[in-house]
Amino acid sequence: MDSVRTAGVLALVVVVATSGCIGFVTGEEALVYEANEASVSEDSVSTTGYERTLSEELVVNRTVSDRRVEVRNHYARYEKYDDIAEETTGVLAVVSTHRVDVFGHTTNPYANMSYAGILANVTADYDTAFGDLGDARFVENESATVLGEDTRVGVFATNTTFGGEEVEIKLYVTRVQHGDDVVLAIGGHPTKLPAGEQELIAMLEGIEHDAGENATASERVAPSDASSSLAARPLR
């Protein structure tokens, strides 16, 4: 999976280096791409017993040939906690990231990345609470209606530390290109709790995201004091 993550880094660097913003090219301004926030509807959260435990904007700042680039992503984490068992029984991570169009082509590496690659990158870059998923193995494909689209859901399985103990878990990975953004979701539950699958599918189908246009290329200009620090990972 390391090679997949490396490819993601290189692809994003090429994207921002070839985007046509004059201020960016001259080094006077940062080129900014910002995603719209993705979340899960209150009805789905209430019905499944999940709750949102984290919501944040994550900004990646890069220096490309002495030029500043800023990518703003949104991340939300939902968890289900069993008060009787006193353990976490489900987690869902939702990420929205701008698709980054260059000459009419979507060039964000997540847009065409394999589901195994998405699993590796998202769990490495974000605090998903899943633990190490390096040995996750593909099981099967399922489907769900996400943001109005019939969407493939990749199912994986692995052993990890979940809720403070070593357990086998099932993971559900999906991706939808919606508006100007790529929306990613990874859910997981212990395999000993089969009801967790129905709840996670319901959460996936409850994802909400504004498909309205993000800022145009001419508007993607950061303030003069925008940070130019290097980021270690492709989209975080």
Side-chain angles (χ1 to χ4, degrees):
M1 291 187 178
D2 288 343
S3 61
V4 176
R5 299 190 66 245
T6 300
V9 175
L10 294 175
L12 187 60
V13 169
V14 171
V15 166
V16 297
T18 56
S19 297
C21 176
I22 298 302
F24 166 70
V25 172
T26 62
E28 297 175 355
E29 301 164 340
L31 185 65
V32 178
Y33 290 96
E34 180 171 7
N36 291 328
E37 183 178 359
S39 60
V40 179
S41 70
E42 292 185 4
D43 284 346
S44 296
V45 170
S46 175
T47 299
T48 59
Y50 275 75
E51 65 176 318
R52 186 162 64 180
T53 57
L54 182 64
S55 179
E56 60 184 354
E57 179 185 75
L58 299 173
V59 180
V60 53
N61 292 286
R62 292 191 180 280
T63 299
V64 182
S65 300
D66 296 324
R67 300 297 185 262
R68 292 176 293 125
V69 178
E70 183 174 303
V71 182
R72 299 172 182 171
N73 306 311
H74 290 277
Y75 170 62
R77 188 178 73 217
Y78 297 82
E79 298 183 34
K80 182 172 184 177
Y81 186 80
D82 189 318
D83 291 326
I84 297 176
E86 296 186 337
E87 64 179 11
T88 300
T89 58
V91 175
L92 177 68
V94 182
V95 177
S96 58
T97 178
H98 196 282
R99 66 187 186 186
V100 187
D101 282 354
V102 177
F103 304 123
H105 298 285
T106 299
T107 50
N108 185 314
Y110 273 130
N112 298 300
M113 188 177 290
S114 70
Y115 278 19
I118 292 173
L119 185 60
N121 277 273
V122 171
T123 56
D125 290 347
Y126 298 90
D127 182 14
T128 59
F130 285 123
D132 183 13
L133 300 178
D135 295 328
R137 60 190 182 280
F138 175 76
V139 177
E140 61 182 347
N141 284 316
E142 295 189 6
S143 64
T145 302
V146 182
L147 294 171
E149 296 185 18
D150 185 16
T151 306
R152 180 169 70 91
V153 179
V155 182
F156 296 76
T158 190
N159 293 317
T160 189
T161 301
F162 194 84
E165 62 177 289
E166 186 76 11
V167 296
E168 182 182 66
I169 64 171
K170 291 184 71 175
L171 299 158
Y172 304 82
V173 184
T174 196
R175 165 185 58 214
V176 177
Q177 294 193 41
H178 194 243
D180 285 342
D181 299 335
V182 179
V183 178
L184 313 167
I186 298 177
H189 68 86
T191 56
K192 66 181 181 179
L193 300 174
E197 178 174 345
Q198 294 180 339
E199 294 169 349
L200 277 171
I201 294 298
M203 288 287 286
L204 291 177
E205 294 188 335
I207 290 176
E208 298 178 329
H209 173 261
D210 182 3
E213 284 192 12
N214 305 65
T216 63
S218 62
E219 294 172 326
R220 294 188 187 111
V221 178
S224 58
D225 60 350
S227 171
S228 59
S229 62
L230 284 170
R233 295 185 174 117
L235 294 170
R236 181 184 187 282

